[in-house]
Amino acid sequence: AQKITQTQPGMFVQEKEAVTLDCTYDTSDPSYGLFWYKQPSSGEMIFLIYQGSYDQQNATEGRYSLNFQKARKSANLVISASQLGDSAMYFCAMREGLDSSYKLIFGSGTRLLVRP
Amino acid sequence: NAGVTQTPKFRVLKTGQSMTLLCAQDMNHEYMYWYRQDPGMGLRLIHYSVGEGTTAKGEVPDGYNVSRLKKQNFLLGLESAAPSQTSVYFCASSQRPASGTETQYFGPGTRLLVL
């Protein structure tokens, strides 16, 4: 079973509007972390935001926020005021606390295109 | 501060050839990882290391070997390349995530084409 599911292969958003990228996860580990990465066309992986399973508040980093709904096992990324430079692939990833490797498990990604 | 660097950036191999990908980090990180990224998929873990002299298998280890002789370097070897190993390879490193917030830092990637 997939542990990280991103159901939107591609999305469009108008410049200056907000957009939500979906991510659901599956784990029985009570301690876990959720990450979002951006991969522009140049290929590098850029860390955006982190949410811990015990965090009481949703994480925010500038224009990025994470809508964390623990009971529904979802960790959606919200980008406010989209910019042309936000066009990229976005990956949701999870790290399970009981896994001593601390490896990241990635979803298949969502390609976001910001229209001018 | 270079962060995580990977050598080479791009390589073309013929089936059956061997090569080594080098990853180097200057952040004194304990943990290092090799991932591969195939079209339409996220990154999948090949091998990882939790410290100098230690390595372990990840999700897709077949056809690859690794070594971590120095803390700052993590080598990925392909003994006999196959077309199925055509991919983009990412190296990453991190501290032990004691507080949970530590992200992995990624290298720029190596594009490998096996003909």
Side-chain angles (χ1 to χ4, degrees), chain A residues 55-113:
Chain A
D55 292 344
Q56 296 296 312
Q57 292 187 326
N58 287 344
T60 60
E61 288 286 348
R63 294 187 298 112
Y64 305 108
S65 60
L66 204 152
N67 184 0
F68 181 46
Q69 298 188 46
K70 195 170 183 177
R72 300 176 69 176
K73 293 189 174 180
S74 74
N76 299 339
L77 176 70
V78 180
I79 305 174
S80 63
S82 296
Q83 301 172 356
L84 296 178
D86 293 335
S87 294
M89 282 289 289
Y90 289 82
F91 291 97
C92 179
M94 177 174 65
R95 180 174 64 209
E96 295 173 305
L98 292 178
D99 183 346
S100 60
S101 75
Y102 299 107
K103 67 177 180 288
L104 292 173
I105 303 166
F106 285 84
S108 56
T110 295
R111 183 173 298 280
L112 177 67
L113 183 60

Side-chain angles (χ1 to χ4, degrees), chain B residues 44-98:
Chain B
R44 292 183 293 166
L45 184 67
I46 305 172
H47 285 280
Y48 66 96
S49 169
V50 301
E52 181 178 325
T54 72
T55 63
K57 294 180 179 179
E59 181 186 358
V60 288
D62 294 342
Y64 305 96
N65 57 76
V66 288
S67 65
R68 183 105 181 263
L69 299 179
K70 294 183 178 180
K71 186 177 183 178
Q72 63 269 32
N73 295 337
F74 195 27
L75 304 178
L76 177 70
L78 286 73
E79 291 183 346
S80 179
S84 61
Q85 293 178 303
T86 293
S87 189
V88 180
Y89 292 85
F90 286 95
C91 177
S93 71
S94 72
Q95 289 285 23
R96 185 180 186 278

